[in-house]
Amino acid sequence: MSVESKKPRQACCSKLKLFLVSLAFMYFAKAFGGAYMKSSITQIERRFDIPSSLIGVIDGSFEMGNLLVIAFVSYFGAKLHRPRLIGIGCLVMAAGSFIVALPHFLQGPYKYETSMSHNTEVNSTESILPCLSNHNLTEKDETPDEATIQACEKAVGSSMWIYVFLGNMLRGIGETPSMPLGISYLDDFSKHENTPFYLACIYTTGMLGPMVGFMLGSYLAKTYVDIGFVNLDSITITYKDSRWVGAWWLGFIVNGTVILLASIPFFFLPKSLPKQGEEEDSDKKSTELSSGPEQESFLPDGTQDCEDKEKAVTFKEMAKDFVPSLKRLFRNSIYTMIILTNLVAVNAFVGMITFKPKFMEQIYGQAASRANFLIGIMNLPAVALGFITGGFVLKRFKLGVVGAARVSISASLGAFCMLSLQGFFHCDNAEVAGLTVAYQGYPQVSYNYSTLLSPCNMGCSCSMKHWDPVCAYNGMTYASPCLAGCQTSTGTGKAMVLHNCTCIDTSTTPAANMSAVLGQCPRRTECDNKFKIYMALSVLGAFISACGGTPGYIVLLRSIQPDLKSLALGMQTLIVRTLGGIPPPIYFGALIDRTCLKWGNKQCGGRGACRLYDSNAFRLTFLGLIIGLYILANMLWGVLYFKIAKRQKKLELRNQAKQNGVEANRLSNGHASISIVKYKEDANMESTI
């Protein structure tokens, strides 16, 4: 008899574990795609020659897609087959990934900006450079007419970024069911004490996705965009050049395939399961609610009615109950405060993670591939360890809602301290003649386009629009070979060496070294040392911040009524992603664009992507925004903590009063009043734990 009774439980537990593994792998796949998109931001920006503000709109399209359907999926999806809806969402995400990669196959080969024509047939022979050619300056810098620009843009497909926008939006739509339906399904049918550990496992596994995404982004950033379609020997730039575009499209094809595989198990899981650890058969259990442990763990509002309502059984009744459910949800002041706090914190996080690779490129002179590699190999493992540590602390010390809130606010304060310290370790601007420093031997008061011209290159009729940097042997970068005054060259392709560059200062460099090589000069040694300190602080801050992730989620789950759980998670996702996911890349990008010193040129004319930023202005803008948002988030966390502690104390007093009331019924009226007075005195001495 005992053996037979265990069979349903074992089947239930195996299905719950299958769902846990499937959801964890799906979180891995979607996080892989999201991280790869972040790592490809720079490549997409360069490929389509668009500013950071527009790339912010493209990046925010994921949240726009999420916004379109999240409220309906969260509410109506909770009444339907949740695993199957998650599987359908995976299929939509996979389709979106394939659409993002589509422009590569519809566009022509990438043509990077250059001021020279390179002949691969020439073998180490001396050739004439633009400085000695008879060019008119106005010819090189003249603006083509509108008709010519439109015809050119149509030919090169410069509006293909719209496919990336739409595909990313489709990815957002497909991702919608995973969080509200997946987490609520798991929490409904697992033991109360196991939920924090399961959440930590899911998020830790999910963190492997960004690691793989950034690592793949790092590898493909070194792989030329048109690999297999062009002769790589004819490419004169390297992956360290600001004009280089990696094979960004390939990663989206890989991610789409992984998400397709992740969708399969969800179509074979049941609509509901028995509550983990209970003896009842699954056909005796409700689909949506488990009134026992969940109701005990719920932290009720004093104004709310905690009685269970009868479930709606038809779509019409469900729709009719939608608005009243929303009102019940937002009357919960703690839930509203959690939303507001998360909203500010997510603004800081999204802005930081979107432009962190660009920050590392511009402030510390790191290549895009190395920036992605370091984020994937150092920051993300620290985040994964932080998530599992936060979940372990909750389970080990059996912390309640107030304890979880205390861990979260401590983690937020610690991360803020690490972030503030990062601002003190930075490198100076890259030395670019006429943009960040004066031409050596020539005075300069301010930096603008006119200062790119100097007496040393005045007779060369150089274009000031081109960005084709060369590095002189004295460590100075020049915007183009012509602006460096270079007159001859030897070698071909990446090995080309430029000679007789008249702008290279000969007072500190022998005349024999008046030569330069293609590409921008690397930063100095002391910059590398500062970068190592920055990375150490960044990794430590990522770990501390992630330690508050799981406790913060538990605070959310335990502060809402069980029957509103899916709706609450969905509305939280809707609001936070709408106001915390869409605007930050746009306003961060727009403010970062204002720090640009040298814009590139589109193939058809007009302003392209930024090639060089004022690193000091970039740093102050980027870190200033993030630190300001963190200060506000910590202030809100403080208010939230006191509200939670106050409600917890009220709940404890109410429970104690009920117990005293039961005891008072057994005693005389005189003894009862004495007991109540004694209880009130004890209550005043209670701490708000």
Side-chain angles (χ1 to χ4, degrees):
M1 183 71 180
S2 60
V3 176
E4 291 178 0
S5 63
K6 287 183 180 179
K7 288 181 180 179
R9 276 187 71 183
Q10 291 172 351
C12 153
C13 292
S14 64
K15 287 180 180 179
L16 184 66
K17 289 175 182 176
L18 175 62
F19 180 80
L20 176 64
V21 172
S22 303
L23 191 65
F25 183 64
M26 194 276 296
Y27 264 65
F28 163 82
K30 74 165 186 172
F32 166 31
Y36 184 76
M37 170 60 81
K38 298 292 185 186
S39 72
S40 301
I41 287 292
T42 302
Q43 312 302 323
I44 295 171
E45 180 180 342
R46 294 173 183 173
R47 180 63 182 95
F48 299 102
D49 265 325
I50 52 180
S52 296
S53 53
L54 183 53
I55 203 69
V57 174
I58 293 174
D59 185 62
S61 63
F62 183 90
E63 274 70 31
M64 294 177 194
N66 212 275
L67 164 66
L68 292 175
V69 295
I70 183 68
F72 300 101
V73 168
S74 301
Y75 183 70
F76 296 112
K79 319 291 181 181
L80 304 173
H81 198 301
R82 287 180 281 184
R84 196 168 295 166
L85 283 176
I86 297 172
I88 294 171
C90 288
L91 297 179
V92 176
M93 268 198 291
S97 294
F98 294 137
I99 291 174
V100 169
L102 190 60
H104 174 75
F105 302 98
L106 301 179
Q107 269 185 310
Y110 172 60
K111 294 182 180 179
Y112 53 88
E113 181 185 359
T114 181
S115 62
M116 301 167 55
S117 58
H118 300 275
N119 186 1
T120 57
E121 300 300 321
V122 180
N123 186 18
S124 298
T125 59
E126 199 169 275
S127 58
I128 302 298
L129 286 178
C131 184
L132 295 182
S133 303
N134 267 329
H135 292 298
N136 191 318
L137 180 62
T138 56
E139 273 181 14
K140 281 184 169 287
D141 286 338
E142 67 180 2
T143 304
D145 58 76
E146 192 69 26
T148 306
I149 292 176
Q150 289 180 356
C152 177
E153 288 180 347
K154 186 175 181 181
V156 301
S158 59
S159 297
M160 288 290 181
W161 60 266
I162 294 174
Y163 283 93
V164 183
F165 177 88
L166 295 175
N168 202 35
M169 181 179 286
L170 204 59
R171 288 179 60 246
I173 293 173
E175 190 266 352
T176 304
S178 62
M179 198 281 285
L181 302 188
I183 298 299
S184 63
Y185 187 91
L186 185 69
D187 194 47
D188 282 348
F189 304 121
S190 64
K191 285 183 180 179
H192 162 57
E193 61 268 23
N194 287 341
T195 301
F197 183 71
Y198 287 163
L199 287 178
C201 289
I202 289 173
Y203 285 121
T204 303
T205 307
M207 284 311 304
L208 296 175
M211 288 173 60
V212 175
F214 275 101
M215 296 289 282
L216 182 63
S218 171
Y219 174 75
L220 294 179
K222 292 183 179 180
T223 307
Y224 191 64
V225 61
D226 292 317
I227 186 172
F229 298 93
V230 297
N231 179 13
L232 296 181
D233 293 333
S234 65
I235 307 301
T236 60
I237 58 176
T238 67
Y239 67 90
K240 296 180 180 180
D241 197 291
S242 62
R243 295 164 294 168
W244 175 275
V245 175
W248 61 273
W249 53 275
L250 193 55
F252 289 104
I253 294 178
V254 174
N255 178 245
T257 305
V258 172
I259 294 176
L260 275 179
L261 294 175
S263 69
I264 296 173
F266 292 103
F267 293 101
F268 298 95
L269 285 163
K271 183 178 180 182
S272 63
L273 293 170
K275 183 76 174 177
Q276 188 182 37
E278 294 183 0
E279 296 293 336
E280 290 86 0
D281 290 340
S282 59
D283 58 340
K284 293 181 181 179
K285 270 294 188 183
S286 170
T287 303
E288 304 302 330
L289 300 179
S290 55
S291 58
E294 280 192 72
Q295 191 65 34
E296 291 172 7
S297 63
F298 164 57
L299 185 62
D301 195 340
T303 61
Q304 288 179 333
D305 182 11
C306 299
E307 294 181 0
D308 293 335
K309 293 190 175 183
E310 187 179 350
K311 290 183 187 177
V313 292
T314 66
F315 185 85
K316 183 178 179 181
E317 290 172 334
M318 284 192 293
K320 188 177 180 181
D321 190 49
F322 181 66
V323 174
S325 295
L326 277 180
K327 289 180 179 178
R328 288 172 56 211
L329 181 63
F330 284 101
R331 276 200 298 263
N332 187 335
S333 59
I334 286 184
Y335 174 76
T336 306
M337 199 67 192
I338 290 173
I339 295 291
L340 187 59
T341 306
N342 287 347
L343 183 59
V344 177
V346 168
N347 264 264
F349 174 77
V350 170
M352 178 176 64
I353 198 64
T354 302
F355 294 104
K356 188 180 180 74
K358 185 189 285 281
F359 178 80
M360 294 165 68
E361 290 175 55
Q362 295 297 325
I363 307 302
Y364 301 100
Q366 303 297 314
S369 59
R370 188 159 190 258
N372 289 330
F373 176 79
L374 290 173
I375 292 173
I377 203 69
M378 296 182 71
N379 285 77
L380 296 179
V383 172
L385 184 61
F387 273 126
I388 199 72
T389 301
F392 174 78
V393 167
L394 288 185
K395 186 174 177 66
R396 174 68 179 79
F397 297 101
K398 298 180 180 178
L399 299 177
V401 179
V402 178
R406 189 176 292 166
V407 173
S408 292
I409 192 171
S410 300
S412 181
L413 287 170
F416 168 73
C417 294
M418 294 299 103
L419 184 66
S420 300
L421 289 174
Q422 292 174 22
F424 295 101
F425 300 94
H426 60 87
C427 303
D428 295 328
N429 271 318
E431 294 184 351
V432 181
L435 289 174
T436 61
V437 294
Y439 280 87
Q440 291 185 350
Y442 300 95
Q444 184 168 317
V445 179
S446 60
Y447 305 120
N448 51 54
Y449 270 139
S450 63
T451 61
L452 286 171
L453 292 179
S454 179
C456 65
N457 58 30
M458 196 67 75
C460 296
S461 299
C462 301
S463 169
M464 294 184 291
K465 288 185 176 180
H466 282 121
W467 176 257
D468 191 9
V470 293
C471 178
Y473 279 94
N474 61 358
M476 180 79 73
T477 298
Y478 297 86
S480 71
C482 183
L483 289 169
C486 300
Q487 300 174 26
T488 58
S489 70
T490 55
T492 60
K494 298 183 183 72
M496 179 181 287
V497 180
L498 310 159
H499 303 286
N500 299 326
C501 303
T502 57
C503 289
I504 298 178
D505 186 16
T506 56
S507 61
T508 57
T509 305
N513 277 342
M514 290 176 60
S515 54
V517 294
L518 299 179
Q520 199 170 330
C521 293
R523 296 294 181 93
R524 299 169 189 253
T525 307
E526 56 266 25
C527 185
D528 289 336
N529 295 331
K530 290 179 180 178
F531 178 67
K532 291 174 183 176
I533 298 174
Y534 163 79
M535 282 304 301
L537 291 171
S538 177
V539 170
L540 185 58
F543 169 76
I544 295 173
S545 179
C547 284
T550 304
Y553 214 84
I554 292 300
V555 171
L556 173 64
L557 287 174
R558 299 295 172 245
S559 299
I560 51 181
Q561 290 176 281
D563 63 315
L564 296 177
K565 191 181 300 175
S566 291
L567 179 62
L569 294 176
M571 292 307 299
Q572 185 240 11
T573 305
L574 168 66
I575 295 170
V576 170
R577 285 194 167 172
T578 302
L579 301 177
I582 299 174
I586 299 173
Y587 67 76
F588 267 76
L591 292 172
I592 287 171
D593 279 342
R594 296 173 66 89
T595 68
C596 183
L597 290 175
K598 182 71 175 73
W599 292 95
N601 279 327
K602 289 185 178 180
Q603 188 177 338
C604 302
R607 195 176 80 173
C610 185
R611 305 301 186 195
L612 181 71
Y613 292 88
D614 181 343
S615 63
N616 289 325
F618 189 119
R619 174 177 56 86
L620 292 173
T621 300
F622 182 72
L623 290 181
L625 276 173
I626 298 171
I627 289 173
L629 289 168
Y630 260 87
I631 291 173
L632 181 57
N634 284 321
M635 292 171 63
L636 291 172
W637 256 120
V639 175
L640 177 61
Y641 172 76
F642 284 111
K643 287 180 74 70
I644 291 173
K646 183 178 179 181
R647 184 180 294 182
Q648 180 70 23
K649 184 174 181 179
K650 284 176 66 178
L651 182 63
E652 290 173 357
L653 293 175
R654 186 187 305 167
N655 291 337
Q656 179 110 20
K658 288 180 180 178
Q659 292 177 3
N660 287 348
V662 171
E663 293 176 2
N665 290 333
R666 300 173 185 173
L667 303 172
S668 65
N669 292 334
H671 287 94
S673 54
I674 293 171
S675 175
I676 293 172
V677 170
K678 185 176 184 296
Y679 153 70
K680 286 182 178 179
E681 290 173 354
D682 291 339
N684 292 330
M685 299 172 63
E686 282 185 357
S687 61
T688 56
I689 298 174

